[in-house]
Amino acid sequence: MAVAMAVMLATMRFAVQRAIVTVDAHGTRSASNWTPAGMARPGRIVEEPVEDGERDGPGMWVLGVDPADWPLRARDLVVEPSTGREWVVITVKRRAHAVEASVDWLRVEATLRQA
């Protein structure tokens, strides 16, 4: 019996900027800024919205990010250095292979950050 395996091949490079979370006098947490970008690592766009910037806000993107950037959290930025595009992380799921760690990846749902 053959076993199928999905492999996410990188098509671009992503760098991560961690959110700097501050708390105001009322206890409200917000990402007020981001750290400088880390090292650019292989990644890919897995899915992009049919139409970004719809009336109800930007569409959801799914990015495949190198697991070396773990832990990745909501409000962090994923940056494509070659184009300057930036995505704000909404959710992250670690996709770990049970046998071969070289095919692990982070499934990141994010929205394109508007300049």
Side-chain angles (χ1 to χ4, degrees), residues 12-16 38-45 63-66 69 78-81 85 87:
M12 59 190 54
R13 297 183 72 75
F14 291 134
V16 171
M39 183 173 68
R41 294 188 170 93
R44 74 174 288 131
I45 295 173
L63 308 174
V65 176
D66 191 299
D69 285 317
V78 174
V79 180
E80 183 184 6
R85 285 192 293 185
W87 292 269

Side-chain angles (χ1 to χ4, degrees), residues 26-39:
H26 303 288
T28 304
R29 296 171 47 95
S30 64
S32 59
N33 210 341
W34 291 271
T35 63
M39 183 173 68

Side-chain angles (χ1 to χ4, degrees), residues 51-111:
E51 181 181 340
D52 199 31
E54 300 162 70
R55 250 180 2 140
D56 297 328
M60 189 66 64
W61 293 69
V62 178
L63 308 174
V65 176
D66 191 299
D69 285 317
W70 184 259
L72 199 57
R73 295 185 171 92
R75 299 187 193 110
D76 288 346
L77 288 181
V78 174
V79 180
E80 183 184 6
S82 64
T83 64
R85 285 192 293 185
E86 300 176 334
W87 292 269
V88 178
V89 174
I90 306 298
T91 64
V92 180
K93 292 182 182 171
R94 189 174 184 135
R95 301 292 190 195
H97 190 273
V99 177
E100 182 55 53
S102 66
V103 295
D104 292 358
W105 61 291
L106 303 178
R107 182 183 191 280
V108 176
E109 292 184 352
T111 57

